């Protein structure tokens, strides 16, 4: 590895140490359904987002709520203090496609219909509101 690549890799690792995030992989829900729920909480303060997810009647909301609680716990562990009300917000949340399971369903006249069982990966990053103002 060259010096330039090593330096950029070290910078990336140093940034990663200050960022509190959580990842959820291979969720057996279609990415489209998960994005509907992710769009509801993008950029929202953490306590408000937990309320939105708790009272949403979508199945994906329960998984995102658990992921958000994990991201908050990661932030508290990195900063060695409790998160105060109104301090944290969801800075980034994105949903990517995971590998798809392809199955065949029997159909009339000797044919087969394809069933695509979709899955997704979710990445959620929380940040303090002070950093949001500093970046803008």
């Amino acid at each position: 590895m060259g010096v330039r690549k090593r330096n950029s890799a070290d910078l990336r690792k140093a940034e990663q140490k200050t960022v509190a995030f959580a990842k959820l992989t291979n969720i057996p829900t279609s990415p489209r359904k998960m994005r509907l729920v992710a769009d509801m909480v993008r950029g929202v303060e953490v306590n408000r987002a937990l309320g939105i997810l708790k009272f949403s009647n979508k199945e994906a909301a329960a998984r995102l709520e658990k992921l958000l609680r994990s991201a908050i716990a990661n932030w508290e562990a990195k900063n060695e203090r409790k998160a105060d009300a109104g301090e944290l917000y969801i800075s980034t949340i994105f949903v990517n496609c995971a590998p798809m399971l392809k199955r065949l369903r029997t159909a009339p006249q000797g044919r087969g219909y394809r069933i695509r069982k979709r899955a997704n990966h979710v990445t959620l990053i929380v940040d303090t509101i002070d950093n949001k103002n500093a970046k803008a």
Side-chain angles (χ1 to χ4, degrees), residues 18-124:
T18 60
V19 173
F21 68 97
K23 285 184 181 179
L24 196 57
T25 58
N26 294 323
I27 309 167
T29 309
S30 72
R32 183 176 181 182
K33 291 176 184 175
M34 188 62 82
R35 281 188 194 109
L36 286 172
V37 179
D39 290 341
M40 288 193 301
V41 295
R42 182 174 284 121
V44 176
E45 193 266 322
V46 165
N47 291 330
R48 187 159 180 249
L50 284 172
I52 291 170
L53 293 172
K54 184 161 185 72
F55 294 107
S56 174
N57 49 353
K58 296 209 173 276
E59 187 264 341
R63 296 174 192 270
L64 265 186
E65 181 185 359
K66 191 173 181 180
L67 181 68
L68 179 57
R69 289 185 190 281
S70 174
I72 294 167
N74 291 343
W75 184 88
E76 288 174 347
K78 282 190 176 180
N79 294 317
E80 298 173 350
R81 63 189 178 100
K82 286 287 189 184
D84 297 331
E87 183 181 13
L88 288 178
Y89 78 105
I90 299 174
S91 64
T92 309
I93 181 170
F94 54 90
V95 180
N96 294 328
C97 295
M100 198 182 315
L101 289 175
K102 294 178 180 172
R103 300 287 181 260
L104 278 178
R105 182 181 186 123
T106 55
Q109 299 180 355
R111 287 183 303 231
Y113 292 153
R114 181 175 289 156
I115 296 176
R116 297 183 314 236
K117 295 189 173 192
R118 298 175 187 268
N120 62 62
H121 306 309
V122 181
T123 304
L124 191 145

Side-chain angles (χ1 to χ4, degrees), residues 1-21:
M1 183 184 299
V3 175
R4 183 181 52 83
K5 282 189 175 181
R6 187 179 313 114
N7 290 340
S8 65
D10 290 340
L11 285 174
R12 222 176 14 256
K13 287 177 187 173
E15 272 184 28
Q16 218 41 355
K17 287 181 181 176
T18 60
V19 173
F21 68 97

